[in-house]
Amino acid sequence: MKKEENSSYDFTYITDNSKKCDKNSAFFLTNLNERYFEDAKNRGCTNILSADEVSKILGIKDSIKIIGITGTNGKTTTAAAMYSILLDLDIKVGFQGTRGCFINDSQIAKKGLTTPTIFETMLNIKKAIDKDCEYFIMEVSSHAIAQNRIDGLDFYLKIFTNVTQDHLDYHKSLENYIHTKSSFFSDESMKLINKDDTKIVFNPKNCRTYGIENSATYKILAYSLNEGISAALAKIEKVYDFVSPMHGFFNLYNLLAAISAVDMLGVATMEQICEAVENFAGVAGRMEIVSKEPLIIVDFAHTPDGMEKVLDSMKSKDIVLVFGAGGDRDKNKRAKMGFIASKFAKKIIITSDNPRSEDPDMIIEDILRGIKNTKPIVVISDRKKALQEAFKWQEEDEVLLVLGKGDEVYQEINGEKIPFDDREIIKSLIKDRI
């Protein structure tokens, strides 16, 4: 990044890559690149900047309100719903997360890490400021918290969705994972906490809550999940209604979080916010209906809790389920995913997800250990063949759920990303049948 014209700094650009350093540069030092500190100096760089200093140089502090959302599940949908609502309210806003970075309804960066490097995040925020955005919504992963990839950012509002088992390959234990999430909410910034998830610890100052089962600042009083979502929401003593084309009980939580958060910003009335919800149809790859007849839904769910929520939301129907588990990730969740599949699905096809460097058949063996009944189960490690078999296996009144990859357009096998999109394969199967 080049410095602003007429600045008083004695460098011409900032970089977090030591290989790009020279006497005219400033090196943005983070805990992820500190091992390259000597390399930066050896290349002639004498200006070393912290996250706070870079944030100040970019003019981020006090120029925009940053909203951070963390939780095992629901980050992307909650953030995207907030982004959609704010745009409908004619408020300029940026959004960064798993799906990329968007500013005022235009995509400026493709999909990548849930929370990218702090320098990339700051540059995205700077672009939002340059486009006159009042707010910047970002997903905050547990990795980003642990690795200080949110240093230098002052959050106006922090939102907690839930915490369940995930990323234990990194955090080593659920207790460590929960502690990492909790640390995000230890300060006195404004917070919105899911009252129905009691696992995390948070500073109660400047905190509001949302919930369905427990008393909360924002509470769902009644709801229907038939043909979408309709609900009555109580804020203190006043009740508001909203409807959505989205499916699933878990999306009721996501929408409730989004509505509550936007209300906390004070940019519109609750009536205006609830009206805008109807225009948000969801996120690609999250309960995405690829076909209505036959009913085929693709979802990103890749954790035990995520799977259970998706399957539970469709339990009124007979379910044909296709799923696998990712390689080089937490192995302990695989048997749990198998157990949940056998609990809800009528027919199960276990296949490959993103095996990465692992043997797909060994991953499948781990999943099978959790299956505790004799329901029809087919093992087909080739994901395309598994989808073909599921398509033939599905009967008229059944729903086919394809879980794990959502809107991913590749399969990661032995270090190679091979083009693969569940949705496109399903569409081609439907076309061939017609």
Side-chain angles (χ1 to χ4, degrees):
M1 184 208 79
K2 293 183 179 180
K3 69 173 183 177
E4 297 290 330
E5 292 185 7
N6 303 318
S7 74
S8 59
Y9 301 108
D10 60 349
F11 51 85
T12 57
Y13 64 96
I14 302 171
T15 180
D16 60 355
N17 184 344
S18 66
K19 292 181 179 180
K20 295 181 179 180
C21 284
D22 58 29
K23 64 180 182 180
N24 298 314
S25 70
F27 183 53
F28 183 178
L29 183 66
T30 70
N31 72 321
L32 293 180
N33 68 7
E34 60 186 358
R35 57 182 169 170
Y36 302 109
F37 174 60
E38 290 300 324
D39 182 50
K41 289 200 302 181
N42 291 337
R43 293 174 185 271
C45 180
T46 58
N47 295 285
I48 310 300
L49 301 177
S50 68
D52 283 333
E53 289 172 322
V54 174
S55 179
K56 181 180 178 181
I57 291 168
L58 293 178
I60 289 175
K61 291 183 182 294
D62 302 321
S63 296
I64 194 168
K65 293 181 174 69
I66 303 172
I67 300 162
I69 304 175
T70 195
T72 307
N73 298 304
K75 295 187 296 294
T76 300
T77 301
T78 301
M82 284 189 68
Y83 176 67
S84 173
I85 292 169
L86 288 171
L87 286 177
D88 278 358
L89 294 172
D90 293 324
I91 294 169
K92 293 183 177 181
V93 58
F95 162 40
Q96 173 186 278
T98 308
R99 297 188 51 72
C101 185
F102 302 79
I103 295 176
N104 296 336
D105 214 15
S106 296
Q107 186 168 12
I108 66 164
K110 295 182 179 179
K111 293 196 298 182
L113 294 175
T114 299
T115 313
T117 66
I118 182 57
F119 195 30
E120 184 178 342
T121 294
M122 286 186 177
L123 291 177
N124 286 337
I125 294 173
K126 179 63 166 63
K127 291 173 185 176
I129 292 170
D130 291 343
K131 294 291 185 179
D132 299 321
C133 290
E134 297 179 53
Y135 298 94
F136 188 86
I137 304 164
M138 59 181 287
E139 299 177 46
V140 178
S141 68
S142 59
H143 290 72
I145 298 170
Q147 296 169 1
N148 300 320
R149 277 191 269 137
I150 52 174
D151 281 3
L153 302 180
D154 293 329
F155 288 89
Y156 180 75
L157 172 63
K158 297 179 177 181
I159 302 168
F160 170 68
T161 59
N162 52 62
V163 62
T164 60
Q165 181 174 331
D166 198 14
H167 304 305
L168 299 195
D169 53 305
Y170 179 83
H171 294 285
K172 306 305 179 186
S173 72
L174 185 59
E175 289 74 22
N176 289 340
Y177 180 50
I178 292 171
H179 177 74
T180 299
K181 292 287 190 187
S182 296
S183 68
F184 186 59
F185 300 98
S186 62
D187 62 12
E188 295 184 356
S189 61
M190 195 158 61
K191 292 171 284 288
L192 177 64
I193 302 294
N194 180 355
K195 191 71 174 294
D196 295 341
D197 190 311
T198 60
K199 299 182 188 70
I200 69 157
V201 177
F202 58 91
N203 187 331
K205 189 167 184 178
N206 297 318
C207 180
R208 294 185 185 179
T209 58
Y210 69 98
I212 299 174
E213 299 171 358
N214 295 294
S215 296
T217 314
Y218 302 91
K219 177 175 171 55
I220 296 294
L221 297 181
Y223 64 90
S224 170
L225 302 178
N226 294 325
E227 304 301 323
I229 294 172
S230 58
L233 184 167
K235 176 189 173 184
I236 308 175
E237 295 180 353
K238 193 165 182 181
V239 178
Y240 307 88
D241 297 321
F242 68 90
V243 296
S244 166
M246 297 172 68
H247 291 266
F249 183 65
F250 57 96
N251 274 325
L252 180 58
Y253 272 104
N254 295 333
L255 292 176
L256 175 59
I259 293 168
S260 305
V262 174
D263 181 63
M264 289 176 69
L265 301 181
V267 296
T269 66
M270 277 291 280
E271 288 87 353
Q272 291 171 321
I273 297 168
C274 289
E275 184 178 352
V277 170
E278 190 172 359
N279 297 326
F280 177 64
V283 177
R286 268 70 170 182
M287 288 299 283
E288 182 176 351
I289 299 175
V290 183
S291 167
K292 291 186 177 181
E293 293 183 5
L295 182 56
I296 304 176
I297 297 175
V298 169
D299 192 85
F300 187 64
H302 59 285
T303 66
D305 180 68
M307 277 187 64
E308 184 165 21
K309 286 178 177 176
V310 169
L311 292 167
D312 184 66
S313 72
M314 303 302 294
K315 65 185 178 182
S316 61
K317 296 180 178 293
D318 289 333
I319 298 171
V320 180
L321 175 63
V322 177
F323 80 105
D328 302 333
R329 298 294 187 269
D330 178 16
K331 295 183 179 182
N332 293 323
K333 69 182 181 182
R334 295 172 185 171
K336 295 178 181 179
M337 292 166 72
F339 174 75
I340 290 167
S342 62
K343 177 181 175 182
F344 286 96
K346 179 182 178 183
K347 305 170 184 175
I348 301 170
I349 297 180
I350 304 175
T351 187
S352 178
D353 191 289
N354 289 319
R356 300 182 177 89
S357 68
E358 286 195 65
D359 180 347
D361 292 331
M362 297 304 295
I363 296 174
I364 291 171
E365 285 296 319
D366 288 340
I367 294 171
L368 285 168
R369 291 190 182 97
I371 294 179
K372 303 299 183 183
N373 57 35
T374 57
K375 290 182 179 180
I377 298 171
V378 175
V379 172
I380 305 174
S381 60
D382 185 305
R383 194 172 180 94
K384 183 174 182 179
K385 291 181 179 178
L387 292 173
Q388 291 169 338
E389 183 63 24
F391 192 70
K392 291 188 291 184
W393 210 6
Q394 182 186 15
E395 296 180 9
E396 186 176 346
D397 295 331
E398 296 174 335
V399 56
L400 171 57
L401 292 178
V402 181
L403 304 186
K405 292 177 59 59
D407 63 339
E408 289 181 350
V409 293
Y410 62 84
Q411 235 186 333
E412 192 173 346
I413 303 173
N414 293 324
E416 183 179 359
K417 288 188 175 181
I418 301 168
F420 193 99
D421 189 327
D422 287 337
R423 300 164 303 172
E424 292 305 315
I425 292 171
I426 292 166
K427 289 175 184 176
S428 68
L429 291 171
I430 294 171
K431 185 177 180 181
D432 291 342
R433 176 182 284 182
I434 296 173

